[in-house]
Amino acid sequence: MVRPKKHLGQHFLKDANIARKITACLDTKHTTVCEIGPGTGILTQSLLERENISELTLIEIDTESVEYLNSHFSDDRMKILEADFLKTNLEELFPSDVVLIGNFPYNISSQIFFKVLENRNHIPEVVGMIQKEVAERIASPPGNKTYGILSVLLQSWYDIEYCFTVNETVFYPPPKVKSAVIRLRRNKTTALDCDENLFFKVVKTAFGQRRKTLRNALKVLFGHFEFDHPLLSQRAEQLSVSEFVNLTKLFE
Ligand code: SAH
């Protein structure tokens, strides 16, 4: 047994059927897999049952969990790293592509997705269990209050699917929130049709003051500007990915 530690977001999944349902979301053509936060290994077990996986790297920050995993699992395809996922160098660890899976520590799920974005050309797929509200936000279309920075940025490079909702009762200890499994698959976009660094800044600034029109919200970034464009009288949450690209082009 590993004593659950709140500050590490440890909520261990109890239900092996749900673990299988989660790992089944991962496309079988991927052979190099990284699991974030394996804990006591309920997803790990289910991943190891899949013969197509030739390399499974577990990244776990908790020493006690790592000891537990080392004493309960042994498989030539598997490697356990005791590390903070947010601080790992993915390019070094995985010279070619890697897919990510995990019942994520909810307190750092947004940071995990920002790291995915940084490494988007080496991560073709992500299957993650996260807080239900965050899953809904990421999958949300424009024109919706839940649509935000991560929705736009992730949808720029990934096709997002909300797979299923998971009840708090299948965890020990049960979290205060509902959970959901979400799948991200890299889309065909290699490069956006605009300056990508500026695009990130525009999206972040636009949602920083989401109730203002873009003309006013973007003053923080560009100061006062004279020219006009129909997009500038809209608000951040109304714009699709391609409209954000067009908006960025106005300022290049
Ligand atoms: N996959 C397990 C545990 C999920 S709880 C299960 O489904 O039962 C989240 C796990 O992430 C915990 O084991 C926690 O120790 C680990 N964790 C938390 N922060 C982490 C970080 N920064 N890097 C790697 N693992 C982390």
PDB file of all heavy atoms in Angstrom, residues 8-13 35-40 42-43 59-62 65 83-86 103-105 108, ligand 1:
ATOM      1  N   LEU A   8       0.492  15.712  -3.720  1.00  0.00           N
ATOM      2  CA  LEU A   8       0.921  15.162  -5.012  1.00  0.00           C
ATOM      3  C   LEU A   8      -0.282  14.790  -5.881  1.00  0.00           C
ATOM      4  O   LEU A   8      -0.142  14.168  -6.922  1.00  0.00           O
ATOM      5  CB  LEU A   8       1.803  13.930  -4.795  1.00  0.00           C
ATOM      6  CG  LEU A   8       3.166  14.188  -4.137  1.00  0.00           C
ATOM      7  CD1 LEU A   8       3.920  12.891  -3.933  1.00  0.00           C
ATOM      8  CD2 LEU A   8       3.993  15.146  -5.008  1.00  0.00           C
ATOM      9  N   GLY A   9      -1.461  15.178  -5.427  1.00  0.00           N
ATOM     10  CA  GLY A   9      -2.671  14.880  -6.189  1.00  0.00           C
ATOM     11  C   GLY A   9      -2.923  13.388  -6.331  1.00  0.00           C
ATOM     12  O   GLY A   9      -3.415  12.927  -7.357  1.00  0.00           O
ATOM     13  N   GLN A  10      -2.564  12.646  -5.283  1.00  0.00           N
ATOM     14  CA  GLN A  10      -2.708  11.188  -5.395  1.00  0.00           C
ATOM     15  C   GLN A  10      -4.134  10.729  -5.106  1.00  0.00           C
ATOM     16  O   GLN A  10      -4.602  10.769  -3.970  1.00  0.00           O
ATOM     17  CB  GLN A  10      -1.712  10.491  -4.456  1.00  0.00           C
ATOM     18  CG  GLN A  10      -0.274  10.623  -4.946  1.00  0.00           C
ATOM     19  CD  GLN A  10       0.716   9.867  -4.083  1.00  0.00           C
ATOM     20  OE1 GLN A  10       0.449   9.548  -2.927  1.00  0.00           O
ATOM     21  NE2 GLN A  10       1.889   9.571  -4.630  1.00  0.00           N
ATOM     22  N   HIS A  11      -4.797  10.305  -6.155  1.00  0.00           N
ATOM     23  CA  HIS A  11      -6.100   9.651  -6.046  1.00  0.00           C
ATOM     24  C   HIS A  11      -5.982   8.390  -6.878  1.00  0.00           C
ATOM     25  O   HIS A  11      -5.969   8.444  -8.104  1.00  0.00           O
ATOM     26  CB  HIS A  11      -7.221  10.557  -6.571  1.00  0.00           C
ATOM     27  CG  HIS A  11      -7.392  11.803  -5.761  1.00  0.00           C
ATOM     28  ND1 HIS A  11      -8.099  11.822  -4.584  1.00  0.00           N
ATOM     29  CD2 HIS A  11      -6.906  13.050  -5.926  1.00  0.00           C
ATOM     30  CE1 HIS A  11      -8.063  13.043  -4.055  1.00  0.00           C
ATOM     31  NE2 HIS A  11      -7.335  13.810  -4.862  1.00  0.00           N
ATOM     32  N   PHE A  12      -5.828   7.268  -6.194  1.00  0.00           N
ATOM     33  CA  PHE A  12      -5.553   6.032  -6.909  1.00  0.00           C
ATOM     34  C   PHE A  12      -6.843   5.420  -7.447  1.00  0.00           C
ATOM     35  O   PHE A  12      -7.842   5.308  -6.734  1.00  0.00           O
ATOM     36  CB  PHE A  12      -4.832   5.040  -5.987  1.00  0.00           C
ATOM     37  CG  PHE A  12      -3.501   5.557  -5.500  1.00  0.00           C
ATOM     38  CD1 PHE A  12      -3.262   5.761  -4.143  1.00  0.00           C
ATOM     39  CD2 PHE A  12      -2.489   5.868  -6.402  1.00  0.00           C
ATOM     40  CE1 PHE A  12      -2.039   6.260  -3.697  1.00  0.00           C
ATOM     41  CE2 PHE A  12      -1.267   6.365  -5.970  1.00  0.00           C
ATOM     42  CZ  PHE A  12      -1.040   6.553  -4.614  1.00  0.00           C
ATOM     43  N   LEU A  13      -6.792   5.042  -8.686  1.00  0.00           N
ATOM     44  CA  LEU A  13      -7.940   4.396  -9.319  1.00  0.00           C
ATOM     45  C   LEU A  13      -8.073   2.984  -8.746  1.00  0.00           C
ATOM     46  O   LEU A  13      -7.088   2.264  -8.605  1.00  0.00           O
ATOM     47  CB  LEU A  13      -7.664   4.346 -10.831  1.00  0.00           C
ATOM     48  CG  LEU A  13      -8.764   3.886 -11.766  1.00  0.00           C
ATOM     49  CD1 LEU A  13      -9.970   4.816 -11.667  1.00  0.00           C
ATOM     50  CD2 LEU A  13      -8.231   3.893 -13.201  1.00  0.00           C
ATOM     51  N   GLU A  35       4.064   6.862 -19.309  1.00  0.00           N
ATOM     52  CA  GLU A  35       2.963   7.067 -18.366  1.00  0.00           C
ATOM     53  C   GLU A  35       3.366   8.102 -17.321  1.00  0.00           C
ATOM     54  O   GLU A  35       4.400   7.973 -16.661  1.00  0.00           O
ATOM     55  CB  GLU A  35       2.554   5.756 -17.680  1.00  0.00           C
ATOM     56  CG  GLU A  35       1.325   5.981 -16.818  1.00  0.00           C
ATOM     57  CD  GLU A  35       0.903   4.797 -15.943  1.00  0.00           C
ATOM     58  OE1 GLU A  35       1.402   3.671 -16.148  1.00  0.00           O
ATOM     59  OE2 GLU A  35       0.082   5.035 -15.047  1.00  0.00           O
ATOM     60  N   ILE A  36       2.532   9.109 -17.161  1.00  0.00           N
ATOM     61  CA  ILE A  36       2.782  10.170 -16.175  1.00  0.00           C
ATOM     62  C   ILE A  36       2.083   9.803 -14.869  1.00  0.00           C
ATOM     63  O   ILE A  36       0.879   9.564 -14.853  1.00  0.00           O
ATOM     64  CB  ILE A  36       2.232  11.518 -16.678  1.00  0.00           C
ATOM     65  CG1 ILE A  36       2.832  11.872 -18.043  1.00  0.00           C
ATOM     66  CG2 ILE A  36       2.501  12.630 -15.672  1.00  0.00           C
ATOM     67  CD1 ILE A  36       2.167  13.064 -18.714  1.00  0.00           C
ATOM     68  N   GLY A  37       2.817   9.758 -13.783  1.00  0.00           N
ATOM     69  CA  GLY A  37       2.224   9.508 -12.465  1.00  0.00           C
ATOM     70  C   GLY A  37       1.570   8.145 -12.329  1.00  0.00           C
ATOM     71  O   GLY A  37       0.372   8.060 -12.098  1.00  0.00           O
ATOM     72  N   PRO A  38       2.331   7.056 -12.467  1.00  0.00           N
ATOM     73  CA  PRO A  38       1.747   5.714 -12.402  1.00  0.00           C
ATOM     74  C   PRO A  38       1.227   5.316 -11.016  1.00  0.00           C
ATOM     75  O   PRO A  38       0.385   4.423 -10.918  1.00  0.00           O
ATOM     76  CB  PRO A  38       2.902   4.795 -12.819  1.00  0.00           C
ATOM     77  CG  PRO A  38       4.143   5.572 -12.531  1.00  0.00           C
ATOM     78  CD  PRO A  38       3.779   7.008 -12.787  1.00  0.00           C
ATOM     79  N   GLY A  39       1.710   5.991  -9.959  1.00  0.00           N
ATOM     80  CA  GLY A  39       1.223   5.660  -8.613  1.00  0.00           C
ATOM     81  C   GLY A  39       1.511   4.208  -8.286  1.00  0.00           C
ATOM     82  O   GLY A  39       2.652   3.763  -8.323  1.00  0.00           O
ATOM     83  N   THR A  40       0.449   3.441  -8.019  1.00  0.00           N
ATOM     84  CA  THR A  40       0.653   2.027  -7.696  1.00  0.00           C
ATOM     85  C   THR A  40       0.448   1.131  -8.920  1.00  0.00           C
ATOM     86  O   THR A  40       0.372  -0.094  -8.796  1.00  0.00           O
ATOM     87  CB  THR A  40      -0.270   1.588  -6.546  1.00  0.00           C
ATOM     88  OG1 THR A  40      -1.594   2.005  -6.868  1.00  0.00           O
ATOM     89  CG2 THR A  40       0.142   2.250  -5.241  1.00  0.00           C
ATOM     90  N   ILE A  42      -1.978   0.818 -11.576  1.00  0.00           N
ATOM     91  CA  ILE A  42      -3.175   0.162 -12.137  1.00  0.00           C
ATOM     92  C   ILE A  42      -3.258   0.360 -13.658  1.00  0.00           C
ATOM     93  O   ILE A  42      -3.630  -0.567 -14.397  1.00  0.00           O
ATOM     94  CB  ILE A  42      -4.468   0.617 -11.404  1.00  0.00           C
ATOM     95  CG1 ILE A  42      -5.656  -0.226 -11.853  1.00  0.00           C
ATOM     96  CG2 ILE A  42      -4.741   2.112 -11.583  1.00  0.00           C
ATOM     97  CD1 ILE A  42      -6.841  -0.196 -10.914  1.00  0.00           C
ATOM     98  N   LEU A  43      -2.859   1.525 -14.145  1.00  0.00           N
ATOM     99  CA  LEU A  43      -2.831   1.719 -15.605  1.00  0.00           C
ATOM    100  C   LEU A  43      -1.631   0.991 -16.212  1.00  0.00           C
ATOM    101  O   LEU A  43      -1.714   0.436 -17.316  1.00  0.00           O
ATOM    102  CB  LEU A  43      -2.741   3.210 -15.969  1.00  0.00           C
ATOM    103  CG  LEU A  43      -3.939   4.104 -15.680  1.00  0.00           C
ATOM    104  CD1 LEU A  43      -3.644   5.541 -16.096  1.00  0.00           C
ATOM    105  CD2 LEU A  43      -5.173   3.612 -16.427  1.00  0.00           C
ATOM    106  N   ILE A  59       7.047   7.828 -15.350  1.00  0.00           N
ATOM    107  CA  ILE A  59       7.655   8.967 -14.664  1.00  0.00           C
ATOM    108  C   ILE A  59       6.813   9.293 -13.430  1.00  0.00           C
ATOM    109  O   ILE A  59       5.647   9.685 -13.541  1.00  0.00           O
ATOM    110  CB  ILE A  59       7.757  10.201 -15.591  1.00  0.00           C
ATOM    111  CG1 ILE A  59       8.604   9.842 -16.827  1.00  0.00           C
ATOM    112  CG2 ILE A  59       8.397  11.383 -14.838  1.00  0.00           C
ATOM    113  CD1 ILE A  59       8.841  10.979 -17.794  1.00  0.00           C
ATOM    114  N   GLU A  60       7.406   9.073 -12.268  1.00  0.00           N
ATOM    115  CA  GLU A  60       6.675   9.219 -11.004  1.00  0.00           C
ATOM    116  C   GLU A  60       7.536  10.008 -10.028  1.00  0.00           C
ATOM    117  O   GLU A  60       8.701   9.710  -9.830  1.00  0.00           O
ATOM    118  CB  GLU A  60       6.341   7.816 -10.465  1.00  0.00           C
ATOM    119  CG  GLU A  60       5.760   7.764  -9.066  1.00  0.00           C
ATOM    120  CD  GLU A  60       4.466   8.553  -8.891  1.00  0.00           C
ATOM    121  OE1 GLU A  60       3.457   8.225  -9.535  1.00  0.00           O
ATOM    122  OE2 GLU A  60       4.484   9.535  -8.104  1.00  0.00           O
ATOM    123  N   ILE A  61       6.946  11.000  -9.395  1.00  0.00           N
ATOM    124  CA  ILE A  61       7.698  11.892  -8.502  1.00  0.00           C
ATOM    125  C   ILE A  61       7.815  11.330  -7.087  1.00  0.00           C
ATOM    126  O   ILE A  61       8.720  11.670  -6.338  1.00  0.00           O
ATOM    127  CB  ILE A  61       7.005  13.287  -8.469  1.00  0.00           C
ATOM    128  CG1 ILE A  61       7.963  14.378  -8.000  1.00  0.00           C
ATOM    129  CG2 ILE A  61       5.740  13.264  -7.618  1.00  0.00           C
ATOM    130  CD1 ILE A  61       7.419  15.791  -8.203  1.00  0.00           C
ATOM    131  N   ASP A  62       6.904  10.442  -6.712  1.00  0.00           N
ATOM    132  CA  ASP A  62       6.794   9.982  -5.329  1.00  0.00           C
ATOM    133  C   ASP A  62       7.671   8.747  -5.056  1.00  0.00           C
ATOM    134  O   ASP A  62       7.453   7.682  -5.631  1.00  0.00           O
ATOM    135  CB  ASP A  62       5.316   9.672  -5.044  1.00  0.00           C
ATOM    136  CG  ASP A  62       5.086   9.099  -3.660  1.00  0.00           C
ATOM    137  OD1 ASP A  62       5.783   9.534  -2.725  1.00  0.00           O
ATOM    138  OD2 ASP A  62       4.213   8.215  -3.528  1.00  0.00           O
ATOM    139  N   SER A  65       5.863   5.516  -4.124  1.00  0.00           N
ATOM    140  CA  SER A  65       5.234   4.849  -5.267  1.00  0.00           C
ATOM    141  C   SER A  65       6.279   4.137  -6.124  1.00  0.00           C
ATOM    142  O   SER A  65       6.051   3.019  -6.605  1.00  0.00           O
ATOM    143  CB  SER A  65       4.474   5.853  -6.133  1.00  0.00           C
ATOM    144  OG  SER A  65       3.390   6.396  -5.436  1.00  0.00           O
ATOM    145  N   ALA A  83      11.064  11.119 -11.043  1.00  0.00           N
ATOM    146  CA  ALA A  83      11.313  12.488 -11.496  1.00  0.00           C
ATOM    147  C   ALA A  83      10.012  13.282 -11.548  1.00  0.00           C
ATOM    148  O   ALA A  83       8.914  12.711 -11.546  1.00  0.00           O
ATOM    149  CB  ALA A  83      11.943  12.464 -12.890  1.00  0.00           C
ATOM    150  N   ASP A  84      10.173  14.598 -11.608  1.00  0.00           N
ATOM    151  CA  ASP A  84       9.051  15.500 -11.819  1.00  0.00           C
ATOM    152  C   ASP A  84       8.836  15.589 -13.329  1.00  0.00           C
ATOM    153  O   ASP A  84       9.717  16.079 -14.048  1.00  0.00           O
ATOM    154  CB  ASP A  84       9.414  16.873 -11.228  1.00  0.00           C
ATOM    155  CG  ASP A  84       8.309  17.904 -11.432  1.00  0.00           C
ATOM    156  OD1 ASP A  84       7.401  17.662 -12.255  1.00  0.00           O
ATOM    157  OD2 ASP A  84       8.373  18.955 -10.780  1.00  0.00           O
ATOM    158  N   PHE A  85       7.698  15.138 -13.789  1.00  0.00           N
ATOM    159  CA  PHE A  85       7.451  15.132 -15.235  1.00  0.00           C
ATOM    160  C   PHE A  85       7.675  16.519 -15.847  1.00  0.00           C
ATOM    161  O   PHE A  85       8.205  16.640 -16.952  1.00  0.00           O
ATOM    162  CB  PHE A  85       6.020  14.659 -15.540  1.00  0.00           C
ATOM    163  CG  PHE A  85       5.679  14.769 -16.995  1.00  0.00           C
ATOM    164  CD1 PHE A  85       6.160  13.850 -17.913  1.00  0.00           C
ATOM    165  CD2 PHE A  85       4.895  15.825 -17.467  1.00  0.00           C
ATOM    166  CE1 PHE A  85       5.880  13.976 -19.275  1.00  0.00           C
ATOM    167  CE2 PHE A  85       4.606  15.950 -18.815  1.00  0.00           C
ATOM    168  CZ  PHE A  85       5.099  15.027 -19.717  1.00  0.00           C
ATOM    169  N   LEU A  86       7.282  17.559 -15.123  1.00  0.00           N
ATOM    170  CA  LEU A  86       7.379  18.914 -15.677  1.00  0.00           C
ATOM    171  C   LEU A  86       8.831  19.339 -15.903  1.00  0.00           C
ATOM    172  O   LEU A  86       9.097  20.231 -16.684  1.00  0.00           O
ATOM    173  CB  LEU A  86       6.679  19.924 -14.757  1.00  0.00           C
ATOM    174  CG  LEU A  86       5.174  19.710 -14.581  1.00  0.00           C
ATOM    175  CD1 LEU A  86       4.611  20.718 -13.589  1.00  0.00           C
ATOM    176  CD2 LEU A  86       4.447  19.817 -15.927  1.00  0.00           C
ATOM    177  N   ASN A 103      -3.325   8.957 -15.455  1.00  0.00           N
ATOM    178  CA  ASN A 103      -4.334   9.562 -14.607  1.00  0.00           C
ATOM    179  C   ASN A 103      -3.575  10.716 -13.980  1.00  0.00           C
ATOM    180  O   ASN A 103      -2.844  10.545 -13.019  1.00  0.00           O
ATOM    181  CB  ASN A 103      -4.796   8.515 -13.588  1.00  0.00           C
ATOM    182  CG  ASN A 103      -5.626   9.090 -12.470  1.00  0.00           C
ATOM    183  OD1 ASN A 103      -6.053  10.246 -12.538  1.00  0.00           O
ATOM    184  ND2 ASN A 103      -5.842   8.307 -11.433  1.00  0.00           N
ATOM    185  N   PHE A 104      -3.680  11.875 -14.599  1.00  0.00           N
ATOM    186  CA  PHE A 104      -2.792  12.993 -14.280  1.00  0.00           C
ATOM    187  C   PHE A 104      -3.018  13.528 -12.865  1.00  0.00           C
ATOM    188  O   PHE A 104      -4.151  13.537 -12.381  1.00  0.00           O
ATOM    189  CB  PHE A 104      -3.004  14.158 -15.265  1.00  0.00           C
ATOM    190  CG  PHE A 104      -2.584  13.859 -16.687  1.00  0.00           C
ATOM    191  CD1 PHE A 104      -2.936  14.719 -17.718  1.00  0.00           C
ATOM    192  CD2 PHE A 104      -1.822  12.737 -16.997  1.00  0.00           C
ATOM    193  CE1 PHE A 104      -2.552  14.467 -19.033  1.00  0.00           C
ATOM    194  CE2 PHE A 104      -1.430  12.476 -18.304  1.00  0.00           C
ATOM    195  CZ  PHE A 104      -1.802  13.336 -19.320  1.00  0.00           C
ATOM    196  N   PRO A 105      -1.936  14.017 -12.232  1.00  0.00           N
ATOM    197  CA  PRO A 105      -2.132  14.801 -11.005  1.00  0.00           C
ATOM    198  C   PRO A 105      -2.872  16.078 -11.384  1.00  0.00           C
ATOM    199  O   PRO A 105      -2.370  16.873 -12.172  1.00  0.00           O
ATOM    200  CB  PRO A 105      -0.698  15.101 -10.528  1.00  0.00           C
ATOM    201  CG  PRO A 105       0.227  14.640 -11.598  1.00  0.00           C
ATOM    202  CD  PRO A 105      -0.517  13.889 -12.626  1.00  0.00           C
ATOM    203  N   ILE A 108      -1.538  19.770 -11.649  1.00  0.00           N
ATOM    204  CA  ILE A 108      -0.587  20.220 -12.673  1.00  0.00           C
ATOM    205  C   ILE A 108      -1.034  19.862 -14.096  1.00  0.00           C
ATOM    206  O   ILE A 108      -0.236  19.898 -15.026  1.00  0.00           O
ATOM    207  CB  ILE A 108       0.842  19.672 -12.419  1.00  0.00           C
ATOM    208  CG1 ILE A 108       0.867  18.143 -12.410  1.00  0.00           C
ATOM    209  CG2 ILE A 108       1.428  20.233 -11.132  1.00  0.00           C
ATOM    210  CD1 ILE A 108       2.281  17.565 -12.611  1.00  0.00           C
TER     211      ILE A 108
HETATM  212  N1  SAH B   1      -2.027   6.414 -12.116  1.00  0.00           N
HETATM  213  C1  SAH B   1      -2.331   6.152 -10.723  1.00  0.00           C
HETATM  214  C2  SAH B   1      -2.110   7.381  -9.817  1.00  0.00           C
HETATM  215  C3  SAH B   1      -2.811   8.652 -10.207  1.00  0.00           C
HETATM  216  S1  SAH B   1      -2.648   9.905  -9.002  1.00  0.00           S
HETATM  217  C4  SAH B   1      -3.750   5.634 -10.620  1.00  0.00           C
HETATM  218  O1  SAH B   1      -4.538   5.851 -11.543  1.00  0.00           O
HETATM  219  O2  SAH B   1      -4.097   5.048  -9.608  1.00  0.00           O
HETATM  220  C5  SAH B   1      -1.418  10.954  -9.724  1.00  0.00           C
HETATM  221  C6  SAH B   1      -0.003  10.405  -9.647  1.00  0.00           C
HETATM  222  O3  SAH B   1       0.901  11.382 -10.183  1.00  0.00           O
HETATM  223  C7  SAH B   1       0.512  10.126  -8.232  1.00  0.00           C
HETATM  224  O4  SAH B   1       1.106   8.856  -8.203  1.00  0.00           O
HETATM  225  C8  SAH B   1       1.538  11.234  -7.956  1.00  0.00           C
HETATM  226  O5  SAH B   1       2.567  10.844  -7.070  1.00  0.00           O
HETATM  227  C9  SAH B   1       2.066  11.493  -9.348  1.00  0.00           C
HETATM  228  N2  SAH B   1       2.640  12.832  -9.541  1.00  0.00           N
HETATM  229  C10 SAH B   1       2.247  13.990  -8.980  1.00  0.00           C
HETATM  230  N3  SAH B   1       2.978  15.024  -9.426  1.00  0.00           N
HETATM  231  C11 SAH B   1       3.868  14.508 -10.336  1.00  0.00           C
HETATM  232  C12 SAH B   1       4.891  15.065 -11.156  1.00  0.00           C
HETATM  233  N4  SAH B   1       5.146  16.371 -11.141  1.00  0.00           N
HETATM  234  N5  SAH B   1       5.602  14.239 -11.952  1.00  0.00           N
HETATM  235  C13 SAH B   1       5.350  12.899 -11.974  1.00  0.00           C
HETATM  236  N6  SAH B   1       4.383  12.322 -11.225  1.00  0.00           N
HETATM  237  C14 SAH B   1       3.646  13.109 -10.414  1.00  0.00           C
END
